[in-house]
């Protein structure tokens, strides 16, 4: 068992714009994070992943960086950032920075230079191509709707942007560019940060020739992933990064890798020959989308527990002794987990605790997204004007344009899957604007804040917050939570998810009811129970003695410590 601090950690993701506003301008900031470090320490998390705070024109809320070595004015100064790092280290907490190097902002000096002329020394830092028959070089679609190419009259050529027009892709084929990026990473690591979360890192190697994507359905622009996801030189580039930068520091590295397979994840996270510690895979957050529709996530379909089990088991077993899993149910790009995988109405508390149990009892490093620890829910703003996320606004505009103004369906899709569900301000208390700001918040606060807020959660001993605290403590006290082998039970059950975790002589039995029903669950003979101790549950004991035949209450979760004897 290869012990590592980043395997035993629990990571808390902060989306600074929506975390806490310290100066009343309605925008969360770095001093706001400093002000809440004691709260995070109380929760028990030991690592913070901070979404981008770098200089940015904010076209994609900071994921469009114009200066990698300076802080966005709205978030504060480098001085504020230095204080954040020292205040965290004082508390024994670690800081992981977001690293967005598949693309930069079009206001980065590299791009400003690059677009000046074809022979500019920065031209090749980006991917420029002449048009074809007066239109884009190929038919690739952007992640944010429309073409992945933007025409620039100055040099009569197009540049590639897999995300927004203001996020031109960097050309990793260029050795000088890689050198500059590695120097920038070293600059931050020498300042004392504890790691990087790497944004869409498996998209940096594009196939030569940039051919058209196969056409499915009549859409003009098509998904070209096969030509840039996990490209031919990806492992070479990450290998170079590891040799020249990462291997020189004791840090946590996690790559965001859409569409990745377990085999590819083993190549990247392998214990010995690995390049990064872990990756974020997306299969479990794509279960409720119709994969055959070119509407992607916007075509919502119900998900099945047996599918979630199949995906989870494949990743648990696929990386067992081979790599290491990251564990998450939400982040700043996904809807709130209790609304998506649980029940954000009658059983909000029970289902939020059940999902927390799921997250903290699988093998891997758990990631908690801000607000998840108090059970924050999706928001259903009534008007498109209330929304801010470029991905949702582009989708809405394109949908309405192509479907003759059917705004209702577009708004419904955004209610279900929009990223702003995760980006409403953290609800600190029941004062105006949920205590997030004394100013006017940049995006509306979820109107349910009087009932769902941190102050209330701290007061109530049986709250979701205190349940997270207990789970985090159990992980720290029992290595079986971290390193135990995962073995699923009764995989065909459509309501109950159960599995064991085994490490040396210790075994955990986890039983989770993912439904509002009361299913009866019978333990298979293979799971020998001589004695059992209930470690944590989201309902008081029901007094039944039968150890094999269990009736689970709506969204009930139980974790037993089994001694096999
Ligand atoms: O996200 C990449 C990514 O996969 C998402 O765009 C995702 O597909 C989509 O949002 C799901 O709906 C990363 C960042 O996490 C995201 O915030 C950025 O917008 C994006 O990269 C570009 O930097
Ligand atoms: Ca502020």
């Amino acid at each position: 068992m290869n012990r590592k601090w980043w395997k035993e950690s629990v990571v808390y993701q902060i989306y600074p714009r929506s975390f806490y506003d310290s100066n009343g301008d309605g925008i969360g900031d770095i001093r706001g994070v400093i002000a809440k470090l004691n709260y995070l320490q109380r929760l028990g998390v030991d690592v913070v992943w901070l979404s981008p705070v770098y200089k940015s024109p904010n076209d994609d809320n900071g994921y469009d960086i114009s200066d990698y070595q300076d802080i966005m004015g709205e978030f504060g100064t480098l001085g504020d950032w230095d204080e954040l790092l020292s205040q965290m280290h004082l508390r024994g907490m670690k800081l992981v920075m977001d690293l967005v190097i598949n693309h930069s902002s079009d206001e980065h000096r590299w791009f400003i230079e690059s677009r000046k002329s074809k022979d500019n020394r920065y031209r090749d830092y980006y991917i420029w191509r002449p048009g074809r028959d007066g239109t884009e070089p190929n038919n690739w679609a952007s992640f944010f709707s429309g073409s992945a190419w933007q025409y620039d009259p100055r040099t009569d050529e197009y540049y590639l942007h897999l995300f927004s027009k203001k996020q031109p892709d960097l050309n990793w084929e260029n050795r000088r560019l890689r050198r500059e990026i590695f120097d920038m990473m070293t600059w931050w690591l020498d300042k004392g940060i504890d790691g990087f979360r790497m944004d869409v890192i498996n998209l940096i190697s594009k196939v030569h020739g940039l051919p058209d994507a196969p056409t499915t359905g009549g859409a003009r622009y098509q998904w070209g992933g096969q030509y840039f996801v996990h490209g031919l030189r990806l492992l070479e580039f990450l290998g170079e990064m590891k040799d020249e930068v990462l291997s020189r520091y004791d840090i946590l590295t996690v790559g965001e890798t859409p569409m990745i397979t377990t085999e590819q994840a083993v190549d990247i996270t392998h214990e010995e020959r690995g390049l990064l510690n872990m990756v974020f895979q997306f299969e479990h957050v794509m279960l409720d989308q119709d994969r055959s529709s070119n509407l992607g996530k916007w075509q919502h379909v119900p998900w099945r527990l047996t599918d979630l089990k199949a995906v989870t088991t494949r990743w648990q077993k696929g990386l067992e002794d081979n790599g290491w899993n990251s564990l998450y149910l939400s982040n700043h790009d996904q809807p709130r987990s209790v609304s998506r995988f649980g029940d954000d109405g009658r059983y909000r508390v029970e289902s939020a605790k059940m999902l927390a149990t799921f997250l903290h009892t699988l093998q891997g490093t758990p990631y908690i997204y801000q607000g998840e620890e108090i059970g924050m829910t999706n928001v259903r703003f009534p008007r498109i004007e209330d929304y801010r996320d470029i991905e949702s606004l582009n989708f809405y505009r394109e949908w309405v344009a192509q479907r003759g103004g059917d705004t209702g369906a577009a708004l419904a899709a955004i209610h279900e899957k929009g990223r702003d569900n995760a980006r409403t301000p953290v609800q600190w208390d029941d004062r105006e604007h949920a205590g997030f700001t004394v100013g006017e918040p940049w995006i509306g606060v979820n109107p349910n804040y009087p009932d769902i807020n941190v102050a209330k959660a701290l007061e109530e001993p049986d709250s979701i917050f205190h349940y997270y605290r207990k789970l985090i403590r159990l992980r720290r006290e029992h290595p079986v939570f971290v390193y135990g082998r995962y073995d699923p039970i009764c995989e065909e059950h459509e309501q109950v998810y159960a599995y064991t975790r085994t490490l040396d002589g210790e075994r955990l039995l986890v039983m989770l009811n993912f439904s509002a029903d009361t299913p009866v669950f019978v333990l298979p003979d293979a799971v020998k129970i001589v004695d059992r101790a209930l470690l944590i549950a989201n309902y008081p004991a029901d007094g039944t003695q039968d150890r094999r035949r269990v009736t689970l209450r709506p969204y009930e979760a139980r974790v037993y410590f089994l001694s096999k004897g």
Side-chain angles (χ1 to χ4, degrees):
M1 165 180 70
N2 194 343
R3 300 192 69 150
K4 293 279 185 190
W5 64 265
W6 43 266
K7 292 181 179 179
E8 298 166 15
S9 292
V10 173
V11 182
Y12 188 91
Q13 180 195 358
I14 289 180
Y15 192 73
R17 203 170 184 79
S18 305
F19 189 65
Y20 185 62
D21 174 22
S22 69
N23 64 351
D25 64 355
I27 297 170
D29 46 52
I30 291 173
R31 301 209 75 78
V33 178
I34 295 172
K36 296 297 183 181
L37 288 178
N38 292 347
Y39 164 74
L40 296 179
Q41 200 169 23
R42 180 122 188 256
L43 177 61
V45 296
D46 54 330
V47 177
V48 165
W49 153 27
L50 184 61
S51 274
V53 291
Y54 313 96
K55 263 216 175 349
S56 164
N58 230 28
D59 191 54
D60 184 20
N61 285 7
Y63 281 90
D64 50 313
I65 298 170
S66 54
D67 184 339
Y68 287 101
Q69 290 168 240
D70 199 357
I71 303 293
M72 184 197 295
E74 285 170 342
F75 289 143
T77 65
L78 271 171
D80 296 328
W81 182 88
D82 288 331
E83 188 180 335
L84 170 65
L85 185 66
S86 57
Q87 288 291 336
M88 289 185 68
H89 286 171
L90 271 177
R91 290 170 175 78
M93 298 169 80
K94 293 178 185 284
L95 177 61
V96 168
M97 293 283 279
D98 213 310
L99 184 70
V100 187
I101 49 179
N102 170 71
H103 46 268
S104 76
S105 164
D106 65 348
E107 298 185 25
H108 190 288
R109 68 181 172 79
W110 292 340
F111 191 74
I112 291 169
E113 284 300 315
S114 183
R115 69 187 324 165
K116 280 184 178 161
S117 68
K118 293 182 182 173
D119 54 11
N120 183 288
R121 72 186 296 276
Y122 288 96
R123 184 70 169 183
D124 189 47
Y125 271 32
Y126 295 87
I127 301 169
W128 293 92
R129 291 290 186 284
R132 182 182 61 181
D133 315 331
T135 186
E136 295 94 0
N138 69 25
N139 65 352
W140 292 1
S142 158
F143 276 78
F144 293 163
S145 308
S147 170
W149 294 92
Q150 177 65 20
Y151 177 69
D152 190 342
R154 248 163 295 205
T155 53
D156 184 30
E157 285 199 332
Y158 291 78
Y159 63 86
L160 179 69
H161 61 88
L162 291 179
F163 294 91
S164 90
K165 292 185 182 57
K166 290 182 68 59
Q167 292 169 297
D169 280 55
L170 289 162
N171 174 22
W172 274 73
E173 306 284 329
N174 184 306
R175 178 75 187 102
R176 215 160 30 89
L177 167 82
R178 298 201 300 274
R179 179 69 271 144
E180 288 214 53
I181 287 178
F182 297 160
D183 292 348
M184 175 269 286
M185 294 172 69
T186 302
W187 184 81
W188 282 105
L189 288 163
D190 288 346
K191 285 172 88 58
I193 68 169
D194 306 288
F196 285 115
R197 175 265 185 190
M198 303 183 185
D199 192 62
V200 285
I201 200 66
N202 65 337
L203 307 187
I204 61 178
S205 171
K206 281 76 174 177
V207 74
H208 291 187
L210 309 176
D212 270 334
T215 303
T216 51
R220 178 169 172 196
Y221 304 116
Q222 299 283 335
W223 166 247
Q226 70 197 83
Y227 297 124
F228 53 76
V229 174
H230 207 90
L232 290 176
R233 298 185 69 189
L234 175 65
L235 299 183
E236 174 201 340
F237 294 151
L238 291 179
E240 208 176 85
M241 181 194 283
K242 182 179 180 186
D243 298 345
E244 297 187 23
V245 183
L246 305 176
S247 57
R248 293 192 285 120
Y249 304 88
D250 177 17
I251 53 175
L252 180 161
T253 52
V254 56
E256 184 205 26
T257 49
M259 323 309 281
I260 195 168
T261 64
T262 49
E263 294 73 25
Q264 291 168 339
V266 169
D267 287 342
I268 293 179
T269 68
H270 190 274
E271 206 71 64
E272 273 83 49
R273 57 184 168 79
L275 305 161
L276 304 178
N277 301 146
M278 53 194 121
V279 294
F280 291 127
Q281 58 92 9
F282 281 63
E283 293 189 46
H284 61 307
V285 293
M286 296 173 81
L287 290 173
D288 52 6
Q289 73 180 68
D290 175 350
R291 306 291 284 269
S292 66
S293 147
N294 63 11
L295 279 172
K297 71 177 198 174
W298 304 112
Q299 190 64 56
H300 181 74
V301 292
W303 61 279
R304 294 161 50 107
L305 182 61
T306 41
D307 295 337
L308 177 64
K309 292 183 189 182
V311 165
T312 305
T313 297
R314 190 152 34 76
W315 280 87
Q316 288 283 296
K317 303 312 277 187
L319 271 59
E320 191 177 82
D321 305 330
N322 259 334
W324 190 254
N325 274 292
S326 69
L327 307 168
Y328 74 97
L329 289 172
S330 70
N331 59 35
H332 63 294
D333 290 335
Q334 303 296 332
R336 288 278 177 188
S337 51
V338 71
S339 299
R340 188 186 207 175
F341 296 109
D343 167 342
D344 61 10
R346 177 170 175 204
Y347 294 110
R348 182 184 69 86
V349 173
E350 294 81 359
S351 62
K353 290 178 179 179
M354 182 278 287
L355 293 170
T357 313
F358 178 51
L359 197 67
H360 289 79
T361 57
L362 290 172
Q363 189 187 64
T365 301
Y367 288 75
I368 301 171
Y369 180 62
Q370 68 183 38
E372 190 187 304
E373 77 280 8
I374 60 168
M376 282 177 60
T377 73
N378 280 356
V379 70
R380 303 169 74 83
F381 290 136
R383 305 166 318 130
I384 192 62
E385 291 74 22
D386 299 323
Y387 286 90
R388 302 283 179 271
D389 169 34
I390 184 170
E391 182 190 51
S392 298
L393 296 176
N394 284 7
F395 157 74
Y396 182 90
R397 207 171 298 118
E398 184 175 277
W399 171 286
V400 171
Q402 287 172 356
R403 286 176 177 72
D406 175 1
T407 57
L411 203 53
I414 291 172
H415 285 164
E416 198 72 54
K417 291 292 184 59
R419 305 191 300 179
D420 282 335
N421 279 311
R423 300 174 182 191
T424 59
V426 169
Q427 297 159 212
W428 294 102
D429 54 46
D430 60 5
R431 286 175 302 157
E432 194 190 11
H433 305 314
F436 164 73
T437 179
V438 294
E440 190 55 38
W442 70 277
I443 187 170
V445 172
N446 190 316
N448 62 17
Y449 72 87
D451 305 318
I452 303 174
N453 62 64
V454 168
K456 216 159 170 288
L458 292 174
E459 265 157 37
E460 293 162 4
D462 191 29
S463 70
I464 301 166
F465 175 88
H466 291 299
Y467 191 87
Y468 267 85
R469 281 187 73 200
K470 189 171 179 190
L471 279 170
I472 294 170
R473 201 174 50 244
L474 284 170
R475 266 181 71 83
R476 201 156 288 132
E477 291 161 3
H478 303 281
V480 63
F481 275 81
V482 178
Y483 297 104
R485 188 190 68 247
Y486 160 96
D487 292 300
I489 302 173
C490 301
E491 287 167 280
E492 72 301 327
H493 204 296
E494 270 301 349
Q495 294 174 313
V496 175
Y497 194 160
Y499 44 92
T500 60
R501 302 285 310 282
T502 309
L503 183 68
D504 309 334
E506 292 192 341
R507 170 170 281 190
L508 297 178
L509 167 64
V510 181
M511 294 193 276
L512 308 168
N513 179 7
F514 270 78
S515 76
D517 300 334
T518 54
V520 177
F521 177 63
V522 179
L523 270 175
D525 299 345
V527 179
K528 292 273 169 290
I529 298 181
V530 174
D531 185 19
R532 67 175 186 179
L534 186 65
L535 282 178
I536 189 168
N538 62 349
Y539 279 87
D542 63 1
T544 55
Q545 293 314 312
D546 188 330
R547 293 174 175 220
R548 296 213 148 285
R549 197 179 159 76
V550 180
T551 302
L552 292 175
R553 287 158 283 190
Y555 296 101
E556 181 165 4
R558 300 186 194 173
V559 181
Y560 289 102
F561 198 66
L562 301 183
S563 48
K564 283 193 288 181

